[in-house]
Structure formats: structure tokens, C-alpha cells
């Protein structure tokens, strides 16, 4: 039987009741259409959790007893996606509502496909609301809300955990982490994003199961890794990942830089994430390539130096180093080519910004990666890898009116002319010096 949330609603701290004005029209409309067709339908998961905490949800999930095909028949602009976990994406205006069919009870779980270590490979057995709640990851993510009747349902004591700021795995934590180790990463994401703590049993299971993260197919981890770093508390999430020894599983290429100093994350990564957090909190866009540029920079730089020492020209060395490190990292987290190709461009442009060749300045200012490359140069400056003077020059020139730009470029030409003739003189003098 369903237990309405309203009994404990009055106990919620800080007036955390659901404000119907915060609900998206699209989510309400999808729920209503399903009701009118005779199905059960409720909002569930992150959106209910966020509404109760007083945040505006960024997306909505609807759970229903209609099968994916029945859902698809009701909505013209809908499609079934996923194999391991089939869901329906219903498009309403600019929003996409994810509609999932109630999953089956844990007792049915033996019928689902599993790997040797118990990882669930497919989960498309249908059930009712109660079994659906038991199959979700954490109690705070298994709260249901009917926007039409304004009724909430809590089968797992999630409301109490929400009030106490606790992340608690539903069911036996070790088994639940083993059957889907992505939940380890999700636990860290919610700890960071919500500032919640793990329940003691969930924490010890998480610590025991960390190595299972390495079993998750690399393709599935890309989106989850992005979510963990782009949630507005990425720096904290990264510290937690380091603390739980998950960072080295997700980024084995970083291993040499993660050995010392138990809790600290490498400065360039910390600064990149702090920067990303500030942007997310201000509602500014953040991009995956910038994140991966910062995450992979240290190994890329090490490889770059080796290749240059072996006589490769700098740009070729930089491209090769990037390609090699990305290829290595793709064994753990599959970085799509659309992302890695931009990482390559950002690094090339940043290198050219540092070269400051007078003939390339206009082209660089107009380059579509200028902004990201300049931001990356700021990061390198913050960790002492780029001069203040260089950064100031690029900061000034990008906002300067054209006559000033021209002036700055001629000043640059003059000074590099001087530098060149000086170096030519020194080169010429050397042999005679040697002969003396
Ligand atoms: P966010 O606000 O970041 O979107 P969310 O909780 O909504 O967080 P989603 O990835 O959108 O996260 O998933 C929606 C819901 O589906 C979750 O709240 C949870 O109930 C369930 N869920 C998602 N992934 C898993 C998983 N790996 N195991 C069990 N349940 C899951
Ligand atoms: Mg969600």
C-alpha cells in the first residue's frame, strides 16, 4: 500500500513542501495524459528530491505502469531508448520527460542478466510502484509525487533521510553497489551536490566495492563522470573521489600524480573545477572538452616533453601526446571523438597563444577555441606554468579596439625583431668564443 508523504510533510525542516509553481508544465501534462489513459503515473527520483529541498529540478522523470510501447502510443513525439534499461523520451516543447515503466521486485532479480561479479546487464522486468521503489539506488531518490492530486508516496523512509541529509542505499548496500557499480559514482555525486553524508552501512559497503567501478563499461562512465564534475560542486566531488580511491580508477593516467598527499587533488584540476563550479552556479555554460583538457593535462604535458626531447616539432609532439593519453584514458572512460578533438584544438591554440607570433595574432583572436584556450592559459598561469605578462597581454588585446590591436602587434614585431637579431648575434659570436 502507498503511504502518503503528507503525514511527515509538516515535520519537514525549512518548509520543504513541494511548491506546485516550481513544477514544469510538461511533466504535469505527461502525467495527466497517462492518468487519462487509465495508467498510474507519478513524478519520481531527482525531481521529487529537489522539489522537496526547494530547488528547481533540471529534468523530470515519470514512473508509470504503462509499458514503453503503451507510452509511445500515447505521445506523438516520443521514442524508446536504451537496451539495458529501456525508457521513453517524451518531448514536450523544449523539454524531454523521461518515462520509465515500474521495475520488477528484487525477488524477480534472478531473472535479470548478470555478469560474473553480479553486475546487472539488463533490467527490463516490469512490476508495481513498491517494487519500483525497491529497485532505485538511494532512499532520497525513491520518493514519488503525484502532481495532479498533490500526493506524495514514500515506501523507503526516504523523507526521513532527506530531512537528516543522509544518503542511504536501498536494500543490502554491498549487493546493490556490486549489481551496478555506477551507483558508487552516483553516491559521490549526491554527497557533493547536496552536502549529504552516507549512512554508516552504505559508507562501508562503498569502501569495500570501490574496485568494482573498474568493471563498468567505459562507454557508460562518460556521462556519469561529466555529471559528477558538472553538478556545481565538482571540486568537492573530486576530493571525495580521491579520498575513496575512485579517481585513480576513473583516471589511471593520473596515477603518478595522485600518490602523495592523501586528500589533495592536483592544483590544476582543483582550480579548473573551482572555476567550473563558479560557472555552473552562475548559470553559465560549461563544456566537456575543457574539463577533460584540465583532467588530462598533466600526463599530456609529461608525454609532450618526452616527445619534444626526442626531436619532434612542438605542435606534432603536442598532438601525439594528446592522442596517446586520450587513447589510454578511453580504456576507463570512453571520451567521444567530438570531445577529444576539441581537447586537441584547445591545447594547440593555447600553445600558439604562448608563442605569440605576430603574424598569427588576428587568426588566434578569431579562432573558435580562443576563449577556451585563453581560459586554459589562465589556469596554467594560476599554477605557475605561464607568465603574468603573457596573460596580461592576451587579456588586454582581446577587448582592445582595432587600432590598439595593430599597435600591440607592431610593438610585438619590433620586440621579437630585436630578440631575433640579438639571438642571431649571440649565435654568431659563439664559435669565435669557443675558438679563443
Ligand atoms: P539528477 O538531479 O542529477 O538528474 P537524479 O536522481 O534525477 O539526479 P537520474 O540519473 O536522472 O538521477 O536518475 C533518475 C532516477 O532513476 C534516480 O533518482 C533513481 O531513482 C533512479 N536511478 C538512476 N540511476 C540508477 C541506478 N544506477 N540504480 C538505481 N536507480 C537509479
Ligand atoms: Mg534526473
Amino acid at each position: 500500500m502507498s503511504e502518503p508523504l503528507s503525514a511527515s510533510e509538516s515535520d519537514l525542516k525549512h518548509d520543504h513542501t513541494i511548491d506546485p509553481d516550481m513544477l514544469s508544465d510538461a511533466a504535469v501534462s505527461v502525467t495527466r495524459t497517462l492518468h487519462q489513459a487509465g495508467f498510474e503515473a507519478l513524478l519520481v527520483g531527482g525531481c521529487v528530491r529537489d522539489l522537496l529541498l526547494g530547488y528547481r529540478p533540471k529534468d523530470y522523470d515519470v514512473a508509470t505502469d504503462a509499458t514503453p510501447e503503451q507510452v509511445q502510443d500515447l505521445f506523438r513525439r516520443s521514442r524508446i531508448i536504451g537496451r539495458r534499461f529501456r525508457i521513453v523520451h517524451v518531448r514536450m516543447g523544449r523539454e524531454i520527460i523521461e518515462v520509465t515503466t515500474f521495475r520488477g521486485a528484487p525477488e524477480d532479480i534472478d531473472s535479470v542478466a548478470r555478469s560474473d561479479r553480479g553486475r546487472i546487464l539488463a533490467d527490463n522486468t516490469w512490476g508495481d510502484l513498491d517494487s519500483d521503489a525497491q529497485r532505485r539506488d538511494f532512499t532520497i531518490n525513491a520518493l514519488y509525487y503525484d502532481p495532479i492530486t498533490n500526493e506524495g508516496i514514500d515506501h523507503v523512509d526516504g523523507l526521513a533521510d532527506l530531512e537528516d541529509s543522509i544518503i542511504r542505499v536501498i536494500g543490502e548496500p554491498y549487493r546493490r553497489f556490486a549489481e551496478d557499480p555506477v551507483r558508487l559514482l552516483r553516491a559521490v555525486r549526491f554527497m557533493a551536490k547536496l552536502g549529504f553524508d552516507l549512512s554508516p552501512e552504505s559508507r562501508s559497503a562503498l569502501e569495500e566495492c570501490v574496485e568494482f567501478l573498474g568493471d563498468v563499461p567505459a562507454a557508460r562512465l562518460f556521462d556519469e563522470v561529466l555529471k559528477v564534475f558538472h553538478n556545481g560542486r565538482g571540486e568537492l566531488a573530486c576530493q571525495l573521489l580521491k579520498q575513496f580511491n575512485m579517481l585513480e580508477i576513473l583516471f589511471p593516467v593520473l596515477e603518478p600524480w595522485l600518490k602523495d598527499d592523501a586528500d589533495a587533488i592536483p592544483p590544476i584540476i582543483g582550480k579548473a573545477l573551482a572555476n567550473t563550479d563558479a560557472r555552473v552556479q552562475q548559470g553559465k555554460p560549461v563544456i566537456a572538452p575543457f574539463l577533460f583538457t584540465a583532467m588530462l593535462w598533466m600526463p599530456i604535458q609529461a608525454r609532450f616533453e618526452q616527445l619534444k626531447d626526442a626531436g619532434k616539432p612542438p605542435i606534432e609532439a603536442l598532438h601525439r601526446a594528446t592522442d596517446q593519453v586520450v587513447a589510454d584514458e578511453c580504456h576507463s572512460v570512453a571520451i567521444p571523438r567530438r570531445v577529444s578533438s576539441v581537447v586537441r584544438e584547445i591545447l594547440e591554440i593555447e600553445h600558439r597563444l604562448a608563442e605569440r607570433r605576430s603574424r598569427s595574432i588576428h587568426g588566434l583572436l578569431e579562432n573558435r577555441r580562443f576563449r577556451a584556450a585563453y581560459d586554459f592559459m589562465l589556469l596554467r598561469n594560476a599554477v605557475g606554468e605561464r607568465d603574468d605578462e603573457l596573460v596580461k597581454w592576451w587579456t588586454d588585446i582581446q577587448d582592445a579596439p582595432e587600432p590598439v590591436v595593430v599597435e600591440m602587434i607592431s610593438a610585438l614585431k619590433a620586440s621579437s625583431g630585436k630578440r631575433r637579431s640579438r639571438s642571431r648575434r649571440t649565435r654568431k659570436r659563439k664559435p669565435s668564443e669557443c675558438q679563443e
Side-chain angles (χ1 to χ4, degrees):
M1 271 302 292
S2 310
E3 269 178 47
L5 278 185
S6 33
S8 24
E9 251 173 26
S10 55
D11 298 335
L12 278 177
K13 282 182 219 152
H14 317 300
D15 231 0
H16 282 163
T17 48
I18 290 180
D19 173 2
D21 289 343
M22 293 255 253
L23 291 171
S24 97
D25 293 342
V28 177
S29 156
V30 169
T31 320
R32 183 175 290 118
T33 304
L34 283 158
H35 282 195
Q36 284 166 350
F39 296 111
E40 258 187 279
L42 300 124
L43 302 184
V44 65
C47 62
V48 180
R49 179 197 67 217
D50 290 350
L51 285 164
L52 284 164
L53 290 170
Y55 307 133
R56 189 176 291 281
K58 66 176 170 40
D59 49 39
Y60 284 81
D61 295 290
V62 170
T64 178
D65 59 351
T67 63
E69 290 73 17
Q70 286 170 325
V71 175
Q72 203 179 23
D73 285 348
L74 283 174
F75 301 96
R76 203 171 42 85
R77 297 169 71 202
S78 64
R79 66 195 183 100
I80 299 178
I81 61 153
R83 255 185 318 161
R84 186 189 157 276
F85 198 87
R86 287 167 72 218
I87 61 177
V88 188
H89 273 179
V90 177
R91 193 175 277 278
M92 286 264 160
R94 304 169 99 217
E95 274 185 81
I96 292 178
I97 307 296
E98 288 197 358
V99 184
T100 54
T101 305
F102 292 147
R103 256 55 188 180
E107 303 86 72
D108 303 338
I109 213 145
D110 294 335
S111 61
V112 304
R114 282 163 183 278
S115 75
D116 294 349
R117 290 226 254 195
R119 193 166 57 80
I120 291 187
L121 302 175
D123 180 3
N124 290 306
T125 50
W126 312 141
D128 59 13
L129 193 147
D130 184 58
S131 62
D132 190 73
Q134 306 301 331
R135 294 287 279 277
R136 292 186 177 268
D137 48 6
F138 308 112
T139 60
I140 56 164
N141 285 349
L143 298 167
Y144 298 76
Y145 174 72
D146 184 336
I148 315 292
T149 62
N150 198 27
E151 189 194 23
I153 299 167
D154 177 7
H155 282 217
V156 292
D157 284 336
L159 207 50
D161 286 336
L162 200 66
E163 286 179 60
D164 296 340
S165 308
I166 294 286
I167 298 165
R168 186 188 311 276
V169 175
I170 297 170
E172 208 281 292
Y174 184 96
R175 177 179 165 149
R176 300 302 313 285
F177 280 134
E179 70 185 18
D180 184 3
V182 164
R183 289 172 189 151
L184 299 160
L185 207 49
R186 293 177 58 83
V188 170
R189 162 149 69 100
F190 297 124
M191 284 176 82
K193 174 177 158 169
L194 305 172
F196 283 18
D197 207 352
L198 283 166
S199 73
E201 317 76 62
S202 298
R203 177 180 284 267
S204 52
L206 177 134
E207 283 166 357
E208 271 179 84
C209 293
V210 163
E211 62 166 307
F212 296 160
L213 201 54
D215 296 344
V216 179
R220 221 187 133 203
L221 283 179
F222 177 74
D223 282 343
E224 288 293 339
V225 163
L226 265 197
K227 285 190 197 169
V228 90
F229 291 128
H230 277 175
N231 69 43
R233 296 272 185 276
E235 190 183 8
L236 176 58
C238 193
Q239 284 158 355
L240 292 168
L241 290 174
K242 170 97 193 319
Q243 203 178 306
F244 290 128
N245 303 321
M246 288 190 205
L247 198 57
E248 67 208 50
I249 299 182
L250 295 172
F251 290 91
V253 292
L254 288 181
E255 220 192 288
W257 291 271
L258 297 178
K259 281 186 188 132
D260 33 78
D261 215 344
D263 283 343
I265 49 177
I268 196 154
I269 295 180
K271 288 193 192 309
L273 291 172
N275 191 297
T276 301
D277 288 347
R279 292 185 66 91
V280 173
Q281 284 158 25
Q282 291 159 27
K284 291 186 185 165
V286 287
I287 57 165
F290 190 79
L291 174 76
F292 281 92
T293 302
M295 294 303 293
L296 301 180
W297 171 241
M298 290 176 306
I300 292 176
Q301 187 183 29
R303 195 81 197 101
F304 173 51
E305 295 300 334
Q306 281 169 359
L307 289 165
K308 269 196 312 189
D309 289 348
K312 290 262 171 284
I315 295 291
E316 190 189 329
L318 189 56
H319 283 169
R320 266 210 208 186
T322 310
D323 294 347
Q324 287 172 1
V325 172
V326 166
D328 284 351
E329 177 57 20
C330 279
H331 295 297
S332 311
V333 177
I335 306 169
R337 198 166 293 277
R338 68 183 151 78
V339 173
S340 58
S341 61
V342 183
V343 170
R344 215 174 189 259
E345 287 175 28
I346 293 174
L347 289 177
E348 177 182 338
I349 299 305
E350 198 274 340
H351 181 86
R352 294 193 188 280
L353 293 182
E355 282 182 338
R356 246 192 310 181
R357 297 229 169 106
S358 52
R359 251 179 301 157
S360 335
I361 305 299
H362 271 112
L364 287 170
L365 286 168
E366 277 153 32
N367 189 288
R368 62 188 176 148
R369 303 300 170 210
F370 174 79
R371 191 75 230 174
Y374 168 77
D375 285 345
F376 189 61
M377 191 174 67
L378 294 183
L379 277 185
R380 292 194 63 187
N381 172 252
V383 297
E385 291 181 7
R386 291 293 190 214
D387 285 351
D388 292 347
E389 185 274 326
L390 174 77
V391 170
K392 183 172 181 319
W393 196 86
W394 282 106
T395 307
D396 292 345
I397 201 168
Q398 61 188 290
D399 293 324
E402 187 54 24
V404 179
V405 171
V406 172
E407 219 172 90
M408 286 176 79
I409 295 176
S410 4
L412 185 68
K413 241 186 246 166
S415 74
S416 66
K418 256 185 241 151
R419 265 205 310 272
R420 250 201 315 276
S421 55
R422 218 177 1 225
S423 66
R424 238 192 320 256
R425 271 204 306 276
T426 12
R427 265 205 308 276
K428 266 189 203 148
R429 220 179 292 127
K430 264 192 181 150
S432 56
E433 279 166 2
C434 290
Q435 280 163 21
E436 275 167 9

